[in-house]
Amino acid sequence: MVHFYGLLTLQREPVPLKSISVSVSIYEFVADVSATLNYENEEKFPLEAVFLFPMDEDSAVYSFEALVDGKKIVAELQDKMKARTNYEKAISQGHQAFLLEEDSSSRDVFSCNVGNLQPGSKAAVTLKYVQELPLETDRALRFVLPAVLNPRYQFCGLSKDSCLNVKTPIVPVEDLPYTLSMVTTIDSKHGIEKVQSNCPLSPTEYLGEDKTSAQVSLAAGHKFDRDVELLIYYSEVHTPSVVLEMGMLKMKPGRLMRDPSAMVSFYPNIPEDQPSNTCGEFVFLMDRSGSMQSPMSSQDTSQLRIQAAKETLILLLKSLPMGCYFNIYGFGSSYEAYFPKSVKYTQQTMEEALGRVKLMQADLGGTEILAPLQNIYREPSIPGHPLQLFVFTDGEVTDTFSVIKEVRINRQKHRCFSFGIGEGASTSLIKGIARASGGTSEFITGKDRMQSKALRTLKRSLQPVVEDVSLSWHLPPGLSAKMLSPEQTVIFRGQRLIIYAQLTGRMPAAETTAKVCLKYTLQGKTFEDKVTFPVQPKPDVNFTIHRLAAKSLLQTKDMGLRDTPASDKKDALNLSLESGIISSFTAFIAINKELNKPVQGPLAHRDIPRPMLLGASAPLKIRCQSGFRKALPSNHPPSASQPRRGVMCCEAFQMDSYSLCGLISHKDQHNPGFEENHLVQLIYHQNANGSWDLNEDLAKVLGVSLEEITAAHPAELVDSSGWATILAVIWLHGNGKDLKCEWELLERKAMAWMRVHADSTMPLVVKAAITFLKSSVDPAIFAF
């Protein structure tokens, strides 16, 4: 079950954590972050303060230090068991000590222990990390400062030493006693167009006339009700590049940190092709745990997560190609499959699945994803239909490494596309399962539409497979490249690749250049991207490229304390200690050895509280107090996915203007005052083969009577379904262009269907349809 912790206000103790200040330096697509936690002991006895906080799993934490009453104490990275022993020993002897460790069950949760903080004493604890910034489809680089740590589902196998066992106090957002400030400096030689955020920012201040450097600050008063997200738009982000960084010359030859490291960035120009018509087995694994009943964001009008998930599933079902296979699983403490095994996609199976989606609720308790995954992998493969797995979850799980391990074991038989829903989703889980299988990951927060991101990913999965991916280096004599990144086997259109390598051998004395080439094959055609770069490594006091390369290697070897194979444990530990990057096997520890005498008096323990978000602790109870309880009528047929009594049905929640749930829940009976969305209706009534029927439902969408449509129908040129389908496509282009990314695949199905039924009279039919609808749509959209 989910553990909901007691409120701090019941104890009324002062909170020693007073503020968090963050400094971010972004250069091109790498961020270097320094976060300082400011503590003060206002009580009359020494304290041990424990603070749990989230961090993006791609972050490479390389430094931890404390400033105590003006004295700087630099931490040492040690074997985790040794660090814990040393920390406990120091505390028991009355010495000040500081411990920073990554959770043993997930890479994206950290704990910071401040031990024996004296009465009246102040301590500033600073951790530093670097990370790559992902590229969004609109060219924006996305930086996220995680500020929300949701309660994670506690399953019976949770490691006893997991920091998630700490019963952290939770308080309302407005009562949180510490503050957050953040200043970000951005540099890009290509120029900075704009910076956007989901949080209030100070106006962007450009530090030069050429707009290659800028600074923004988080406005005061951030309430920890959302992660802080920055979207940074450069004038050019697609240019391939190579950054060569000098290593630590004092280290022994052959070590990762000794020789120069290169970070290669490619943005392959993969041509778009028509998707396959029949190929693929598509399995949708949907989180139905209680936390999915929470809102998508902290906004009052935000959709419930389960509501957005239902809409997304319907769009996905409507967008699948004829002849493929599919299934839908719901999971929580248990799991349910819509069909005993994947079924062929037909009108009948689509309608049956839609009926089940209508009844889907967040009613399956906890978040145990491992069992349904194992069941999916046990099913025999369907010849000619490679498995494409779509996982949707708010990520509030603790068995992260076990799940990633299971996905990795089965990586040869499928690709996994993962979606993190809402604030606080586990980046470790979402990114980890995608990386392990060669898929992609997406995060849906704030005003993001799950529908758009899911349909974009489905479109990717339908593209022909890129094959024979290879990287070749053309270096000066005496110099060679050793790959540090995992071998790249999959490339998706619109994806940026970052590859790390180590250059060994004798560096050229004079200025010279080298070249690196990326080659791949798509449907028998060979493509090549290449970039030329100077072979003069540049110094960096933080060794950013080396740290990121080490993190990339660690992600392939470090699967947590329990799940890492014995053959990789030693390598992961040594790599972590050598690079200074924290891992599951290491922790940072600092002991204040400058105190003249040990701290006196009994030690009091203080867990730093976290904010309680809307719906995070008891969403069903909160909602039901508003009178939203609804049970199924007594004559409703039993179903495996039937909602439990007392669980809020999705139609009770305030709908937004684009709501498939609103349509399907009220197909025959409409909510008073609810204004139907015609785009949604049109999508809902499309047939599995891509066509539409000529009926009252279509007429209502078009805003005309069925009699008018029938009278205008050129029956001698096209049948009724062909006429209806052409009208529907014209309406989509004229009225739904802002959401084209969500209906583009549906339109392709319609076009493919019309291609089979088209003849030389099609231009005349299109012209008649455009005239009838009084539309300005270009007839060229029907060019077959």
Side-chain angles (χ1 to χ4, degrees):
M1 62 175 291
V2 177
H3 288 265
F4 301 120
Y5 313 130
L7 295 178
L8 178 78
T9 49
L10 297 178
Q11 284 79 38
R12 299 292 180 183
E13 293 126 345
V15 176
L17 179 61
K18 300 304 178 184
S19 66
I20 302 173
S21 57
V22 180
S23 174
V24 184
S25 178
I26 296 174
Y27 178 70
E28 301 299 356
F29 43 83
V30 173
D32 198 323
V33 183
S34 175
T36 300
L37 313 176
N38 295 294
Y39 292 87
E40 182 178 358
N41 183 3
E42 298 175 336
E43 302 186 58
K44 297 180 180 180
F45 34 77
L47 298 178
E48 180 186 28
V50 180
F51 182 46
L52 297 187
F53 57 93
M55 185 175 292
D56 192 293
E57 79 112 24
D58 286 335
S59 302
V61 181
Y62 66 88
S63 175
F64 182 60
E65 61 187 37
L67 187 67
V68 182
D69 298 329
K71 296 178 181 179
K72 184 177 180 180
I73 310 164
V74 179
E76 177 186 352
L77 189 64
Q78 297 180 355
D79 176 285
K80 180 178 283 189
M81 296 302 107
K82 177 182 177 183
R84 286 178 174 174
T85 300
N86 289 340
Y87 175 80
E88 293 297 336
K89 181 179 178 181
I91 292 300
S92 65
Q93 293 176 350
H95 296 292
Q96 279 186 339
F98 305 84
L99 182 70
L100 178 73
E101 60 180 322
E102 179 184 285
D103 181 58
S104 59
S105 299
S106 184
R107 286 195 185 102
D108 68 335
V109 179
F110 281 72
S111 66
C112 177
N113 291 50
V114 176
N116 273 328
L117 187 63
Q118 300 179 72
S121 183
K122 295 181 179 181
V125 179
T126 299
L127 63 100
K128 297 179 181 179
Y129 63 89
V130 290
Q131 68 176 110
E132 303 166 5
L133 300 185
L135 186 65
E136 301 289 287
T137 55
D138 64 350
R139 300 185 303 112
L141 285 164
R142 183 173 182 260
F143 169 76
V144 176
L145 180 71
V148 175
L149 176 56
N150 288 325
R152 302 253 172 136
Y153 176 74
Q154 307 285 296
F155 76 116
C156 59
L158 179 63
S159 174
K160 292 181 179 180
D161 60 359
S162 171
C163 66
L164 293 170
N165 283 316
V166 176
K167 302 300 184 288
T168 310
I170 294 181
V171 300
V173 170
E174 59 272 16
D175 292 340
L176 205 65
Y178 48 88
T179 60
L180 172 67
S181 62
M182 186 179 83
V183 177
T184 304
T185 302
I186 306 164
D187 291 283
S188 172
K189 60 185 178 182
H190 298 296
I192 304 161
E193 291 182 354
K194 59 182 177 180
V195 181
Q196 296 179 341
S197 178
N198 64 332
C199 299
L201 295 177
S202 64
T204 302
E205 178 185 355
Y206 289 100
L207 305 180
E209 294 183 1
D210 57 359
K211 292 190 174 182
T212 58
S213 183
Q215 182 173 290
V216 294
S217 300
L218 182 66
H222 181 75
K223 295 295 185 181
F224 289 85
D225 59 343
R226 70 195 76 176
D227 296 337
V228 181
E229 179 183 277
L230 295 180
L231 295 176
I232 304 151
Y233 294 83
Y234 294 150
S235 300
E236 180 57 64
V237 294
H238 296 164
T239 305
S241 64
V242 176
V243 179
L244 194 58
E245 180 183 86
M246 191 179 296
M248 296 180 179
L249 300 179
K250 62 182 180 180
M251 297 196 72
K252 295 180 180 179
R255 296 292 183 91
L256 171 67
M257 303 298 289
R258 170 64 169 77
D259 295 313
S261 286
M263 179 169 65
V264 184
S265 174
F266 279 113
Y267 191 90
N269 186 23
I270 300 174
E272 184 175 4
D273 208 330
Q274 289 296 317
S276 166
N277 288 326
T278 60
C279 183
E281 177 190 4
F282 299 89
V283 176
F284 305 105
L285 183 55
M286 184 60 68
D287 193 338
R288 285 175 51 191
S289 63
S291 55
M292 285 290 288
Q293 197 72 15
S294 302
M296 287 288 296
S297 73
S298 58
Q299 300 173 15
D300 292 339
T301 58
S302 176
Q303 270 189 316
L304 298 185
R305 297 175 187 178
I306 192 66
Q307 191 178 5
K310 291 170 73 169
E311 295 182 8
T312 301
L313 270 179
I314 294 167
L315 275 170
L316 288 168
L317 285 172
K318 289 289 185 175
S319 301
L320 290 177
M322 290 293 290
C324 74
Y325 288 76
F326 79 100
N327 204 351
I328 298 174
Y329 283 72
F331 72 92
S333 298
S334 58
Y335 67 90
E336 300 171 350
Y338 281 18
F339 304 99
K341 61 179 181 179
S342 293
V343 295
K344 195 167 186 178
Y345 180 72
T346 65
Q347 182 70 22
Q348 179 181 348
T349 56
M350 183 194 75
E351 289 182 350
E352 184 177 347
L354 286 174
R356 299 286 293 274
V357 171
K358 287 194 294 184
L359 302 176
M360 188 176 73
Q361 299 293 331
D363 57 357
L364 291 183
T367 315
E368 294 189 24
I369 191 174
L370 187 57
L373 275 176
Q374 292 170 333
N375 186 76
I376 291 168
Y377 295 145
R378 278 195 297 266
E379 292 295 321
S381 299
I382 302 174
H385 293 271
L387 175 61
Q388 314 269 25
L389 178 61
F390 289 66
V391 177
F392 297 84
T393 177
D394 58 14
E396 297 173 6
V397 300
T398 54
D399 55 341
T400 299
F401 287 120
S402 298
V403 174
I404 296 173
K405 181 181 179 182
E406 186 70 24
V407 173
R408 177 179 290 180
I409 291 172
N410 293 277
R411 65 185 181 276
Q412 298 298 331
K413 63 186 295 184
H414 84 301
R415 289 188 300 189
C416 181
F417 301 93
S418 54
F419 302 83
I421 304 169
E423 304 287 350
S426 169
T427 61
S428 184
L429 175 70
I430 303 305
K431 291 184 177 182
I433 59 178
R435 183 187 299 111
S437 63
T440 60
S441 59
E442 296 276 5
F443 291 87
I444 302 111
T445 59
K447 296 181 180 180
D448 289 345
R449 286 184 60 77
M450 189 189 306
Q451 299 89 332
S452 298
K453 293 195 172 185
L455 267 295
R456 183 173 69 226
T457 300
L458 177 61
K459 184 179 175 182
R460 279 178 172 174
S461 73
L462 291 169
Q463 288 290 308
V465 178
V466 171
E467 299 175 310
D468 302 326
V469 181
S470 65
L471 197 73
S472 59
W473 295 80
H474 306 273
L475 300 169
L479 203 59
S480 61
K482 176 185 176 182
M483 296 298 296
L484 299 176
S485 298
E487 181 181 354
Q488 195 74 32
T489 57
V490 178
I491 306 176
F492 295 98
R493 187 172 186 271
Q495 182 181 20
R496 185 189 63 194
L497 301 181
I498 294 181
I499 302 156
Y500 296 98
Q502 188 175 38
L503 300 189
T504 58
R506 180 178 297 178
M507 299 299 295
E511 290 189 8
T512 185
T513 59
K515 184 169 63 176
V516 58
C517 299
L518 175 73
K519 291 184 179 180
Y520 54 93
T521 303
L522 178 65
Q523 294 189 321
K525 296 180 181 180
T526 300
F527 297 86
E528 181 180 82
D529 282 31
K530 53 188 175 182
V531 57
T532 301
F533 62 97
V535 189
Q536 281 83 42
K538 296 181 179 179
D540 181 345
V541 294
N542 293 328
F543 298 96
T544 301
I545 306 304
H546 286 76
R547 312 276 195 200
L548 290 173
K551 180 68 176 182
S552 177
L553 267 177
L554 276 171
Q555 287 174 326
T556 66
K557 295 179 177 292
D558 181 0
M559 296 302 296
L561 287 170
R562 294 184 307 161
D563 296 303
T564 301
S567 58
D568 287 337
K569 283 186 178 180
K570 184 177 180 180
D571 289 343
L573 174 61
N574 291 337
L575 178 61
S576 175
L577 292 173
E578 178 193 336
S579 64
I581 298 296
I582 200 169
S583 69
S584 299
F585 304 97
T586 54
F588 279 106
I589 179 171
I591 299 174
N592 188 356
K593 300 177 181 179
E594 296 185 15
L595 287 179
N596 295 326
K597 59 180 180 179
V599 176
Q600 302 297 318
L603 183 66
H605 187 89
R606 296 287 180 263
D607 291 316
I608 308 300
R610 293 189 282 111
M612 178 175 62
L613 302 183
L614 175 62
S617 58
L620 295 181
K621 181 178 179 181
I622 292 173
R623 293 295 180 188
C624 289
Q625 286 175 343
S626 301
F628 288 160
R629 290 180 180 268
K630 185 178 179 68
L632 289 174
S634 58
N635 62 349
H636 194 285
S639 167
S641 60
Q642 176 174 316
R644 277 63 166 170
R645 285 188 175 271
V647 175
M648 185 187 73
C649 291
C650 74
E651 66 263 34
F653 190 74
Q654 179 80 29
M655 314 283 181
D656 65 13
S657 60
Y658 179 63
S659 174
L660 278 165
C661 284
L663 174 68
I664 64 174
S665 300
H666 301 280
K667 188 175 179 182
D668 301 313
Q669 177 180 346
H670 300 291
N671 226 2
F674 176 72
E675 184 177 346
E676 293 175 349
N677 186 293
H678 289 173
L679 174 60
V680 176
Q681 291 184 57
L682 190 68
I683 291 171
Y684 185 77
H685 293 298
Q686 187 185 29
N687 296 317
N689 63 8
S691 68
W692 274 267
D693 295 326
L694 189 61
N695 54 29
E696 289 284 359
D697 292 323
L698 178 64
K700 189 172 183 179
V701 172
L702 300 180
V704 295
S705 67
L706 182 58
E707 291 75 15
E708 289 175 302
I709 298 178
T710 304
H713 173 205
E716 71 282 3
L717 301 177
V718 68
D719 63 18
S720 62
S721 291
W723 176 239
T725 303
I726 290 173
L727 291 172
V729 171
I730 292 172
W731 191 94
L732 279 174
H733 279 270
N735 298 273
K737 53 188 175 184
D738 290 343
L739 290 170
K740 184 177 180 180
C741 59
E742 296 181 18
W743 53 259
E744 187 175 10
L745 290 177
L746 285 78
E747 182 211 22
R748 286 188 180 185
K749 289 174 67 174
M751 291 294 194
W753 181 86
M754 284 190 290
R755 214 171 275 123
V756 175
H757 295 77
D759 56 26
S760 58
T761 62
M762 184 59 63
L764 296 175
V765 180
V766 171
K767 183 177 180 181
I770 291 175
T771 301
F772 172 68
L773 292 177
K774 300 177 182 179
S775 173
S776 59
V777 169
D778 187 349
I781 64 172
F782 291 94
F784 296 144

